[in-house]
Amino acid sequence: MSTPVMTVMTAAVRKAARSLQRDYGELAQLQVAQKAPGDFVTIADKRCDKLLREELSKARPGYAFLTEETGVVQGSDPDHRFIIDPIDGTMNFMHAVPMFAITVALERKDEIVAAITYNPITDEMYSAEKGSGAFLNNKRLRVAQRRDIHDALVSYELPHRGGKDLALSRAEISVLQQHVVGIRSPGSAALSLAYVAAGRFDAMICRNIHPWDMAAGILIVREAGGFSADPDGDRNPMETGHIIAANADLLPQFKSALSRARAA
């Protein structure tokens, strides 16, 4: 049974999704016409962000916001904050690739307590509330139970051409290729985390991302029985911007492989 806050978040996400679904349909036409979709995407992003903030503020006045499009919006309630990315996987969206998500997390006193990651094209809604498990639509999620890195399918988000840590990423991919059965780069950290929770990926690794890319996914993975960490040490991924997520058996194996890559 959905709690009041999850009902509020779900309704806001579904309303915002309708605008993105319309935009996505138009974007597919723009692609065919070979027009530059960049400005169109910026408008879609901002419209979705505005819709989410309006709907959530109506139901939870006073809550603060941290969003990709707006940054920090202070609220009168010091204990609660919504963390939002209206389109995680913007490049996919821009190219009409149906691999992107609206992702919303609720933080209470610096702890993530509720989360939704929703792909509006596939109609897959990943959700979790602290202590209540993780779900895909209405189906309970569990992380994959593979125990050996050599059996693992891993998501590794590739940095773009001008991105940071290109040399490190190449070194890490080179080491991982010697161990895992396959590497994928879906283009959405939020969905990669959700896929770990669903057991589709055994692990995900992503560097140089923002709190709004990972906040919801961290809770969804945890409630599905998985773990997330900073790949380089013991700090909070929300602070470092680097994250690895997997089950308890695989996490140390992946961290060990990545440390060899750094040493190389």
Side-chain angles (χ1 to χ4, degrees):
M1 183 162 151
S2 192
T3 61
V5 75
M6 286 303 286
T7 302
V8 162
M9 287 169 64
T10 302
V13 166
R14 287 207 179 275
K15 186 165 184 179
R18 286 196 287 277
S19 90
L20 273 195
Q21 286 158 344
R22 284 193 301 273
D23 290 333
Y24 181 80
E26 288 186 43
L27 196 59
Q29 298 308 312
L30 276 185
Q31 288 297 340
V32 173
Q34 293 191 312
K35 292 178 185 169
D39 292 343
F40 182 91
V41 171
T42 303
I43 293 163
D45 231 326
K46 288 184 171 164
R47 185 191 298 132
C48 186
D49 179 84
K50 184 167 178 281
L51 257 170
L52 286 166
R53 283 187 292 110
E54 284 173 356
E55 291 301 307
L56 292 168
S57 291
K58 264 190 251 173
R60 292 292 185 272
Y63 282 22
F65 288 93
L66 172 65
T67 92
E68 180 174 26
E69 294 306 314
T70 322
V72 175
V73 180
Q74 299 291 353
S76 56
D77 181 336
D79 293 336
H80 291 89
R81 178 169 76 159
F82 287 113
I83 303 174
I84 295 171
D85 191 345
I87 306 177
D88 183 70
T90 309
M91 194 60 69
N92 285 346
F93 179 74
M94 192 183 290
H95 288 264
V97 175
M99 189 80 188
F100 60 91
I102 300 170
T103 184
V104 180
L106 174 61
E107 202 176 53
R108 181 181 295 134
K109 294 184 177 175
D110 298 325
E111 183 184 19
I112 303 158
V113 294
I116 291 177
T117 294
Y118 181 56
N119 182 331
I121 308 306
T122 61
D123 190 31
E124 289 189 325
M125 182 171 284
Y126 300 86
S127 62
E129 214 171 351
K130 185 189 172 190
S132 299
F135 296 86
L136 167 51
N137 298 336
N138 294 311
K139 183 182 166 220
R140 186 76 179 254
L141 295 180
R142 294 297 298 169
V143 294
Q145 298 304 302
R146 292 181 189 88
R147 293 181 172 176
D148 189 329
I149 192 171
H150 298 93
D151 300 324
L153 179 66
V154 58
S155 162
Y156 189 105
E157 289 297 340
L158 299 167
H160 57 79
R161 187 173 55 216
K164 300 176 185 172
D165 294 329
L166 279 171
L168 176 61
S169 291
R170 289 187 185 115
E172 288 183 337
I173 289 165
S174 178
V175 167
L176 290 172
Q177 281 177 322
Q178 299 167 41
H179 292 285
V180 302
V181 292
I183 300 173
R184 303 289 180 265
S185 184
S188 165
L191 280 179
S192 286
L193 283 161
Y195 278 25
V196 170
R200 294 176 177 177
F201 290 142
D202 297 292
M204 75 80 73
I205 299 155
C206 200
R207 292 192 174 276
N208 299 300
I209 58 171
H210 300 281
W212 48 77
D213 300 316
M214 65 173 98
I218 286 171
L219 182 64
I220 294 167
V221 166
R222 185 187 309 144
E223 288 296 321
F227 297 87
S228 59
D230 178 275
D232 309 320
D234 299 324
R235 292 176 62 199
N236 183 348
M238 292 274 284
E239 293 168 7
T240 66
H242 310 308
I243 188 167
I244 177 169
N247 67 30
D249 291 307
L250 290 177
L251 193 71
Q253 295 175 57
F254 273 100
K255 286 190 81 164
S256 173
L258 295 176
S259 72
R260 289 198 295 279
R262 284 197 305 279

